[in-house]
Amino acid sequence: MSHLSHLEQYEIRDRKLFFAGVDTTGLARQFGTPLWVLSEDLVREKCRRYVGSFARLGVPATVAYAGKAFLTTGFCGLLKNEGMGLDVCSGGELATARAAGFPMDRVIFHGNNKTAEEIEQALDAGVARFVVDNLHELRLLNDLAGRAHRRQAVFFRVTPGVNTHTHSFVQTGHLDTKFGFGIENGAAEDAIRLTASLPNIRLVGLHCHIGSQLFDLSCFRAAVDIVLGFQNRLREFFPAHDWELDLGGGLGIRYTSEDFPPPIELYVETLVQAVRARTTALGLPMPALWIEPGRSVVAPAGLTLYTVGAVKPIPGIRTYVAVDGSMADHPRTALYGAVYSAVLANKADRHPVGTFAVAGKACESGDMIIHQALLADPEPGDLLAVFCTGAYHYSMSSNYNRLRRPAVVGLSGGEARLLVRRETYEDLLRHDLDPYA
Ligand code: LLP
């Protein structure tokens, strides 16, 4: 159907929605709703396209998937098998990677306010690189690495001052941001000069991440030019050989048919060409590259299944269609005004009859899943599939209204298996203490 033509791995068979070769109505029956579904096949394909693009261009690179988009122990296993690296940004993400036995020489540790405890944990785990965000962290890391008898390899996160065209909450490359050292205001230069006096820090390169859900490759090119130009000014502080450059994540995806992100291959080629051109012009050696894609690896591989409950027409205004999930499992509409596509999975062959306001079951008006969903005639008991929910859904979910988090089911080769089990009321009550009992 035309309003779904931008989506991957879906099919309509026997009037029903199949995703990654699996009947979604069967998944709902087997695992219940709401349900997060993840096509592991599609994630693998994205990983291979990333890793393969660098290999074809003959550039040594680590594709360090950004765990903040979606991370579980089982998912770490998939990433490991695909030759991916991993970007973790908290003790919790690090603990997940460690529990899964993820190779630490492919792990990079992020965060704009790493605690001493987290730094110690990451040193103990032996992560490959720290991405240092600020002076406080730099000094603390130098101390703690010294105590651990380590000379830690680090990147410095710098903000090149590129203004991207995305939601302001997810812009990070400009000067007025809580992330990293500014280039324009001299903060990055001061930090690099200071490093010369810190015996336990080994600066191997710079890092920048300019934003998320980006479509315009010229922003990435601009960032490469600025960061490399800056690095060249301070080249005495970097190793002459074996230096590295981390260009963060940010490639956008097609939430709707009006989104037109460039393909992964073109994005990687653009980065590599930009780095090649600039380093050649400056007489610098080509660095080993790191990138940190999150959304573009996992978002299109996700689907949320909900059961329709109340259908409430407000004559002359709109019809609300309430589902059994909420902003607790689907936060991005309320948070960013994000837009999604959906279909009624049990009658996927029917053409849309109009737009409907799909609402969640949480107690506030802002709890919307999709403000204007093109749907066939929704009725109580229908199964609603919302596409592209693989990134920043499970990982940003909450227990608001004491709602239980749904299960996550992975689909691989037409088989379904649990990646995360559904929360129970016992899970919800587990941490409560009752001094009145
Ligand atoms: N590297 C760093 C340092 C990051 O901060 C991020 C995302 C990434 C990589 C991955 O970016 P991606 O490839 O996924 O665009 N919750 C928001 C997105 C926040 C992005 C935070 N940083 C959303 O749901 O749109």
Side-chain angles (χ1 to χ4, degrees), residues 200-273:
N200 309 316
I201 301 286
R202 183 165 69 88
L203 179 59
V204 297
L206 298 179
H207 167 284
C208 72
H209 170 77
I210 57 174
S212 197
Q213 183 59 3
L214 303 180
F215 296 172
D216 181 358
L217 293 175
S218 68
C219 297
F220 293 101
R221 261 188 244 116
V224 166
D225 280 356
I226 295 168
V227 172
L228 289 179
F230 169 70
Q231 167 138 10
N232 186 49
R233 276 207 287 123
L234 295 169
R235 59 199 292 174
E236 64 186 288
F237 293 97
F238 290 89
H241 306 290
D242 298 338
W243 67 288
E244 299 173 12
L245 179 65
D246 186 333
L247 295 169
L251 179 63
I253 65 124
R254 302 194 77 184
Y255 284 103
T256 74
S257 54
E258 278 138 52
D259 293 331
F260 293 101
I264 288 172
E265 290 75 11
L266 182 60
Y267 164 67
V268 171
E269 263 165 46
T270 303
L271 295 181
V272 168
Q273 274 168 12

Side-chain angles (χ1 to χ4, degrees), residues 216-437:
D216 181 358
L217 293 175
S218 68
C219 297
F220 293 101
R221 261 188 244 116
V224 166
D225 280 356
I226 295 168
V227 172
L228 289 179
F230 169 70
Q231 167 138 10
N232 186 49
R233 276 207 287 123
L234 295 169
R235 59 199 292 174
E236 64 186 288
F237 293 97
F238 290 89
H241 306 290
D242 298 338
W243 67 288
E244 299 173 12
L245 179 65
D246 186 333
L247 295 169
L251 179 63
I253 65 124
R254 302 194 77 184
Y255 284 103
T256 74
S257 54
E258 278 138 52
D259 293 331
F260 293 101
I264 288 172
E265 290 75 11
L266 182 60
Y267 164 67
V268 171
E269 263 165 46
T270 303
L271 295 181
V272 168
Q273 274 168 12
V275 175
R276 270 202 182 122
R278 192 73 172 147
T279 48
T280 307
L282 295 169
L284 289 167
M286 182 74 185
L289 295 179
W290 292 66
I291 57 166
E292 304 162 352
R295 189 191 314 267
S296 54
V297 173
V298 79
L303 180 82
T304 311
L305 296 175
Y306 297 110
T307 302
V308 172
V311 177
K312 187 182 292 183
I314 303 185
I317 303 190
R318 72 188 89 246
T319 297
Y320 283 93
V321 176
V323 296
D324 56 354
S326 73
M327 63 197 290
D329 66 79
H330 183 98
R332 299 189 67 261
T333 301
L335 260 180
Y336 314 118
V339 180
Y340 292 84
S341 309
V343 69
L344 292 172
N346 55 316
K347 39 194 184 194
D349 58 328
R350 295 216 204 146
H351 285 278
V353 296
T355 59
F356 295 83
V358 179
K361 64 186 265 111
C363 298
E364 58 182 86
S365 311
D367 173 31
M368 297 298 294
I369 307 291
I370 305 177
H371 286 279
Q372 291 185 303
L374 257 184
L375 295 175
D377 197 17
E379 296 162 294
D382 280 344
L383 184 68
L384 182 79
V386 178
F387 292 95
C388 295
T389 59
Y392 304 112
H393 279 247
Y394 170 70
S395 65
M396 290 177 67
S397 60
S398 74
N399 290 122
Y400 183 44
N401 285 180
R402 294 231 141 185
L403 292 163
R404 293 163 295 174
R405 283 187 182 79
V408 184
V409 168
L411 305 182
S412 184
E415 299 291 320
R417 65 272 179 103
L418 276 177
L419 289 175
V420 182
R421 69 160 171 73
R422 184 177 298 282
E423 281 181 348
T424 62
Y425 289 128
E426 290 72 45
D427 292 328
L428 283 180
L429 303 182
R430 178 163 297 148
H431 302 289
D432 289 11
L433 301 172
D434 186 358
Y436 297 98

Side-chain angles (χ1 to χ4, degrees), residues 85-256:
L86 180 61
D87 143 13
V88 298
C89 69
S90 70
E93 289 183 0
L94 178 66
T96 308
R98 285 181 103 172
F102 196 88
M104 288 294 144
D105 60 351
R106 290 190 234 152
V107 173
I108 178 163
F109 190 44
H110 262 285
N112 70 305
N113 193 22
K114 304 175 184 77
T115 63
E117 186 193 27
E118 288 174 320
I119 293 176
E120 280 167 349
Q121 288 163 354
L123 285 167
D124 179 55
V127 300
R129 307 277 178 267
F130 274 66
V131 180
V132 174
D133 178 273
N134 56 70
L135 285 180
H136 164 72
E137 179 192 338
L138 183 60
R139 296 197 179 97
L140 189 59
L141 177 59
N142 183 58
D143 285 354
L144 296 174
R147 267 186 242 168
H149 307 291
R150 290 276 297 278
R151 188 155 180 258
Q152 179 61 48
V154 307
F155 290 132
F156 278 1
R157 178 164 182 171
V158 298
T159 46
V162 176
N163 267 314
T164 51
H165 313 137
T166 182
H167 194 289
S168 67
F169 289 3
V170 288
Q171 281 187 3
T172 42
H174 49 300
L175 188 58
D176 181 6
T177 163
K178 70 170 183 167
F179 296 109
F181 297 100
I183 291 182
E184 242 169 279
N185 63 0
E189 178 162 349
D190 292 347
I192 290 170
R193 289 181 183 280
L194 174 68
T195 308
S197 65
L198 302 176
N200 309 316
I201 301 286
R202 183 165 69 88
L203 179 59
V204 297
L206 298 179
H207 167 284
C208 72
H209 170 77
I210 57 174
S212 197
Q213 183 59 3
L214 303 180
F215 296 172
D216 181 358
L217 293 175
S218 68
C219 297
F220 293 101
R221 261 188 244 116
V224 166
D225 280 356
I226 295 168
V227 172
L228 289 179
F230 169 70
Q231 167 138 10
N232 186 49
R233 276 207 287 123
L234 295 169
R235 59 199 292 174
E236 64 186 288
F237 293 97
F238 290 89
H241 306 290
D242 298 338
W243 67 288
E244 299 173 12
L245 179 65
D246 186 333
L247 295 169
L251 179 63
I253 65 124
R254 302 194 77 184
Y255 284 103
T256 74

